[in-house]
Amino acid sequence: MKQHFLPCLLLFLTSVSISSCIGNEPANAECDIEQAWIHVGDAERVKAVFYHAYDTLLTVSSTQTNIVFSTRSDQDAIISTVPLFLETTAGAKVFHVDNNGHEVSFKNGSAIDFSNSQPVNFRVRSEDGHFQRNYTIAVVPKREMPADPEFNFDNNFSLTTVKDGDIYPYYKWTEYGIDWWASGNAGYRLTGLKAQPMDYPTCPELNTGLGGKHCLKLTTRDTGSLGAMVGMRIAAGNLFSGTFDTQEALGNTLAATRMGLPYAHKPSRLTGYYKYVPGVKMQDRTGAEIKNEKDYPDIYCVVYRNTDEQGNPIQLDGSNILSSPEIVGIGRIKSSDIDVSGTQWVHFDLPVAYNATIERADVENYLYNTAIVFSSSIRGAEFIGAPGSTLWIDNVKLECEY
C-alpha cells in the first residue's frame, strides 16, 4: 500500500517552475546551498567523530537555512577548524559573513572555525544579483531524543518565518529542541489558496485538548481549482517524524516525504489519544463520490534499518514506508478499531511487532530510523478521501524497551 502522507504538491505537475528562493523567479536567480560537506581526516578519524561516514555530507532541502553536522558526544569527536565545501544552485556566489556583518568571498575547501559548537554565518547571492539567502552552518554534538518521549503538542509549535514577500506562513513542530516533525504544509502552500495558518491541513487546535490544553489537528483539505485540474483534489492533514523537501517533489512527489529519523532507542509501543470525524463525501481522484465507503485516519510507528552493508544511507519515503524489506518493526492502528464519532478522546495502544532481532549496540549507534506517522485520510497518497475528515491527536508517548 502506498504511503498516505503525501501532501498535494499540485504545482509540481504543472509547467511552472517554482524557485526555492522566490516563486516565479527568472533564470539564474536561485540562491540555495544544495549540499554541504566537511573533511575531518582519514576513515578512522571520521569513525571517531561521526556515527556514520555519510554524516560528513548533508543534502540541504529548499526550505532549510540552518545546516548542522551532528557528531558523537565524546571527547574524541570534538573538532574545531576543518575544510568546508558547498555546492550551490548554478551561478550563485557564497560569502562568509563575519560577526560585524562583513562579507568575505568563500572558496570551497577553506578552513572554517566551528569550535565551541558556534554557528557560522554564510550568505548566498544569486547569479543575477537580485536575490540572496542567509544560512548558518554548525558542527555540534548530536541532540538525542530521549527514551520514552512524550508528545503533548501543547507548546512545541510555531509559525514559519515570513520573508521574501511570503505572507502565508504555516505551523511547524519541534520536539525536545529537535526538528523531529515534518508535514505537508509546505506543499499545500503551493496550491495558491492563500490559506491562513489555521486553515492548513496540519495545525494546532487551542484549548480543546486533554485537560483543556492544546492538541494537534489534521484535516483533509480541498485543494481548489488547481487540484481539480491535475487530479489531486485533496491534501490529507499529516504529521510524521522525518523531513519534507519541496524541491525533491518537483521530480518525485513520493520521495518528498522522507519518513523516519535516526533514533538510539528501541520502540516497544506507541500510545496516545485521538478523536476522529470523517468527511461527508468520500471521493476519488476525479471528485466522483465513492458510495458505501468511509474515510479513516492512520496512525503507526515503523522501525527500519537506515544503513546498508556498504555503509550507504537508507531513507524510506512515501513509496515504501509500509512495504520496504528494511522494516524490522511496525505498530499500526486498525481501521476497524477506529471510533468515528468524534465525541470523546479515545485511547490507542499500538505494540511494535518486530520481524527480526536487532542488536542493542546497532540501535545505540543510530543504525535504525523510527517513523511516527499520523494522517487524516488513510488513502491520501492516492488523493482519495473525504474533504473535512479531521483527526485530533494528543498526549502521545513512544515507549521503549531500552
Side-chain angles (χ1 to χ4, degrees):
M1 177 178 177
K2 291 184 178 180
Q3 161 59 25
H4 58 276
F5 278 86
L6 184 66
C8 187
L9 303 174
L10 304 175
L11 290 184
F12 296 157
L13 300 182
T14 70
S15 61
V16 179
S17 175
I18 304 293
S19 165
S20 58
C21 291
I22 298 178
N24 298 321
E25 290 179 354
N28 302 317
E30 293 85 358
C31 51
D32 295 338
I33 294 175
E34 296 182 329
Q35 285 191 322
W37 63 98
I38 56 178
H39 179 69
V40 300
D42 60 19
E44 288 301 314
R45 179 57 177 157
V46 171
K47 186 176 180 180
V49 174
F50 294 97
Y51 286 102
H52 310 106
Y54 55 74
D55 290 336
T56 62
L57 170 64
L58 299 178
T59 298
V60 183
S61 75
S62 59
T63 58
Q64 181 181 357
T65 56
N66 300 318
I67 302 170
V68 179
F69 293 92
S70 297
T71 69
R72 295 176 182 268
S73 57
D74 54 40
Q75 184 67 29
D76 290 338
I78 296 176
I79 63 174
S80 55
T81 301
V82 294
L84 172 69
F85 300 83
L86 302 173
E87 180 179 324
T88 67
T89 43
K93 297 179 176 62
V94 183
F95 299 88
H96 179 196
V97 182
D98 65 22
N99 292 333
N100 295 317
H102 298 143
E103 295 181 354
V104 178
S105 183
F106 173 78
K107 181 180 179 181
N108 265 336
S110 297
I112 301 296
D113 183 6
F114 291 109
S115 59
N116 300 317
S117 301
Q118 292 300 307
V120 181
N121 297 312
F122 291 86
R123 181 169 295 136
V124 182
R125 294 187 181 277
S126 60
E127 186 177 36
D128 65 7
H130 294 308
F131 304 100
Q132 68 180 42
R133 199 170 190 192
N134 295 323
Y135 289 85
T136 62
I137 303 178
V139 181
V140 302
K142 186 176 183 64
R143 283 189 172 183
E144 298 186 356
M145 180 70 70
D148 304 324
E150 298 182 4
F151 314 119
N152 57 33
F153 303 107
D154 286 337
N155 54 15
N156 63 336
F157 55 87
S158 61
L159 285 172
T160 54
T161 303
V162 176
K163 59 182 180 180
D164 296 337
D166 174 15
I167 60 172
Y168 299 101
Y170 51 85
Y171 281 100
K172 60 180 181 178
W173 284 257
T174 59
E175 212 66 71
Y176 297 91
I178 300 170
D179 289 331
W180 178 259
W181 298 117
S183 77
N185 278 346
Y188 184 76
R189 187 173 71 88
L190 298 178
T191 63
L193 291 177
K194 300 181 180 180
Q196 295 301 308
M198 288 297 193
D199 294 328
Y200 273 80
T202 303
C203 68
E205 185 164 275
L206 307 182
N207 305 316
T208 63
L210 289 164
K213 297 182 179 180
H214 309 328
C215 63
L216 176 68
K217 179 184 179 183
L218 310 176
T219 306
T220 300
R221 300 290 189 185
D222 188 288
T223 53
S225 58
L226 184 55
M229 180 176 67
V230 296
M232 298 180 178
R233 297 170 182 267
I234 65 166
N238 61 76
L239 195 75
F240 57 93
S241 52
T243 59
F244 176 78
D245 187 3
T246 55
Q247 189 172 22
E248 175 68 25
L250 284 166
N252 187 340
T253 53
L254 289 174
T257 51
R258 298 169 179 172
M259 320 297 292
L261 293 172
Y263 188 46
H265 303 278
K266 182 182 178 182
S268 57
R269 66 194 327 112
L270 182 69
T271 66
Y273 292 84
Y274 77 91
K275 293 191 299 183
Y276 186 71
V277 175
V280 175
K281 177 187 174 183
M282 187 72 174
Q283 64 182 46
D284 63 18
R285 291 187 67 144
T286 70
E289 183 175 2
I290 303 176
K291 296 185 180 298
N292 302 318
E293 185 173 332
K294 185 181 297 183
D295 207 358
Y296 288 96
D298 213 353
I299 302 170
Y300 60 84
C301 175
V302 168
V303 180
Y304 67 89
R305 285 177 287 267
N306 63 25
T307 307
D308 66 17
E309 294 181 354
Q310 289 72 45
N312 300 310
I314 297 171
Q315 178 67 64
L316 301 191
D317 57 36
S319 69
N320 57 7
I321 186 59
L322 291 170
S323 61
S324 170
E326 305 301 333
I327 294 171
V328 297
I330 186 168
R332 188 182 188 190
I333 200 166
K334 296 179 180 179
S335 294
S336 58
D337 292 338
I338 296 290
D339 181 334
V340 297
S341 68
T343 58
Q344 60 185 357
W345 287 101
V346 180
H347 185 253
F348 64 85
D349 186 343
L350 308 177
V352 179
Y354 286 85
N355 58 27
T357 300
I358 60 178
E359 299 296 329
R360 180 165 182 166
D362 290 341
V363 174
E364 293 178 346
N365 278 284
Y366 290 96
L367 294 179
Y368 290 88
N369 278 11
T370 292
I372 300 172
V373 187
F374 307 105
S375 175
S376 59
S377 288
I378 194 169
R379 300 182 66 185
E382 304 168 73
F383 302 99
I384 295 173
S389 291
T390 304
L391 173 67
W392 293 267
I393 296 288
D394 207 358
N395 286 17
V396 174
K397 183 176 181 179
L398 181 64
E399 298 183 15
C400 298
E401 183 178 328
Y402 52 77

